Every structure is written in structure tokens, then in C-alpha cells.
Amino acid sequence: MAGMFRAVEAAWEKWDRPGGPRLVAQVNVALGPDDTVDRARRQMRDHYAFTGRADHMTDGMLTTAHAVREAAAAFADIGTDELMFYCWTSDPEQIDRIADAMN
């Protein structure tokens, strides 16, 4: 992602745009009990089945509070302005789990 961000910044500068681009990223997340994470993996795998890379995409999903914190720090280090956590389950507790992970 750092390489893509630098390319965007270079293009921004090349075309003499004012200010700087807003750098936004998204990570896939499922926190909680095993059945919640398993359900999220199935939903994500089904969603990305058409790409032929569903397992690759699913393998990158963040499933621990530690992984969420590490990802947030890594994205901050490369200049991310906004990081969105995409939850792959309808479990409303995801919001609190992610918030707790960030504390």
C-alpha cells in the first residue's frame, strides 16, 4: 500500500494539484468467537469466489485485536489519513470489539 500511496502523491504533484491527496485504506476484519470468525470467512470466501483468489483474500482478514492494532499502526506509519475496518459479519459486537482492540 505504501507504494500505491507514493504513486498517488507523485501523480498529485505531477499534475500540480493543490494540497495533498486523501489517503484512505480498508482492511477486512472479523473479531470474536470462532463461530463469528468462521461465518465471516465463509461470507468473504463466497464474495470473492469469482476472482479465483478467495482463499488469498480470506487469509488476509484480521481476526485478533493484536492484528488490528498492528495494521492500524502500520497504515499510520505510511501516512494513511483514514483506515476503514470492513466487518465480514453482521454481528453488531464487531464495533465494540474493534474499539476495544484500538484502546
Side-chain angles (χ1 to χ4, degrees):
M1 195 59 137
M4 291 182 1
F5 281 178
R6 301 303 77 89
V8 167
E9 290 167 337
W12 196 273
E13 187 175 319
K14 175 183 175 183
W15 293 102
D16 199 29
R17 301 277 185 179
R22 183 159 176 78
L23 304 174
V24 179
Q26 173 185 307
V27 293
N28 298 308
V29 178
L31 299 179
D34 290 343
D35 63 324
T36 298
V37 174
D38 291 343
R39 185 172 58 250
R41 283 190 175 115
R42 283 191 307 274
Q43 290 172 344
M44 190 175 181
R45 197 171 286 117
D46 289 348
H47 178 80
Y48 284 106
F50 76 96
T51 68
R53 296 174 42 98
D55 288 336
H56 172 76
M57 296 298 294
T58 304
D59 289 345
M61 184 170 23
L62 307 178
T63 60
T64 67
H66 178 75
V68 167
R69 283 189 301 277
E70 280 189 338
F75 277 101
D77 288 347
I78 63 170
T80 305
D81 294 306
E82 181 178 348
L83 178 60
M84 296 180 289
F85 295 103
Y86 190 93
C87 300
W88 280 92
T89 178
S90 59
D91 175 12
E93 296 299 316
Q94 291 296 292
I95 295 167
D96 290 335
R97 289 184 190 116
I98 293 169
D100 290 345
M102 294 304 296
N103 289 326

